Amino acid sequence: QPKSKAAFGSVGRRIPYRILHVINQDGESLGNMHRADALRLMDERGLKLVLLRENVEPPVYRLMTGQQIHEEQLKRAEKKKSSPKPGMCTKELSFSSAIAKNDLETKTKQIAQWIEKRHHVKLTIRQAK
């Protein structure tokens, strides 16, 4: 069982699969080919092989330049940075069932702001005495 690769980058010459689906640097499919043919093509064109999808049969590799690999890594880093971590921010708000109307409106606005910022909101309502 080959290890799954989290980082996006050139795989070099260590390709655990025999048959690959290869895509050229312009995005055009070159079809299925043997690992040796893909490596020879990589050497001829001066490009690097990058694993795109490994959970399909055969796994998909793309021939890319170093610049294309760098740009893709930057895109992925930016996307990862912008997406919030799930379960990290939970906001909790507690109020009485006898809350005044204006206080309820204020807390409702606060909850709406938290939801827009994609925080998890937990509400607790206490019974008034």
Side-chain angles (χ1 to χ4, degrees):
Q1 183 76 6
K3 291 182 182 179
S4 57
K5 197 169 176 121
F8 181 87
S10 83
V11 293
R13 299 188 166 282
R14 291 186 177 189
I15 300 173
Y17 308 102
R18 257 194 141 115
I19 302 296
L20 318 170
H21 184 85
V22 181
I23 299 173
N24 71 6
Q25 69 269 27
D26 300 323
E28 299 168 7
S29 175
L30 299 177
N32 296 344
M33 60 179 65
H34 193 272
R35 152 178 69 203
D37 296 332
L39 290 174
R40 188 174 63 247
L41 194 63
M42 177 182 87
D43 290 337
E44 287 172 1
R45 297 186 183 182
L47 299 171
K48 298 174 182 176
L49 270 175
V50 177
L51 177 64
L52 292 184
R53 291 188 298 265
E54 82 178 319
N55 296 334
V56 294
E57 191 60 40
V60 179
Y61 282 80
R62 182 171 180 181
L63 291 166
M64 298 177 102
T65 64
Q67 180 66 30
Q68 287 174 321
I69 293 171
H70 181 68
E71 289 171 3
E72 189 67 28
Q73 285 172 334
L74 289 177
K75 279 186 211 171
R76 288 178 182 224
E78 189 64 34
K79 188 175 179 182
K80 185 177 179 184
K81 192 185 294 183
S82 67
S83 65
K85 303 271 190 287
M88 288 295 287
C89 256
T90 302
K91 302 287 186 174
E92 188 170 350
L93 196 59
S94 173
F95 51 90
S96 170
S97 62
I99 189 170
K101 184 178 178 182
N102 58 342
D103 291 338
L104 182 61
E105 290 173 359
T106 303
K107 290 189 180 203
T108 306
K109 287 178 187 174
Q110 181 65 55
I111 293 168
Q113 289 175 354
W114 287 340
I115 291 174
E116 282 180 5
K117 293 180 183 177
R118 301 200 180 245
H119 294 298
H120 293 278
V121 180
K122 180 179 177 183
L123 297 176
T124 307
I125 303 171
R126 295 184 311 272
Q127 184 178 1
K129 295 180 181 172

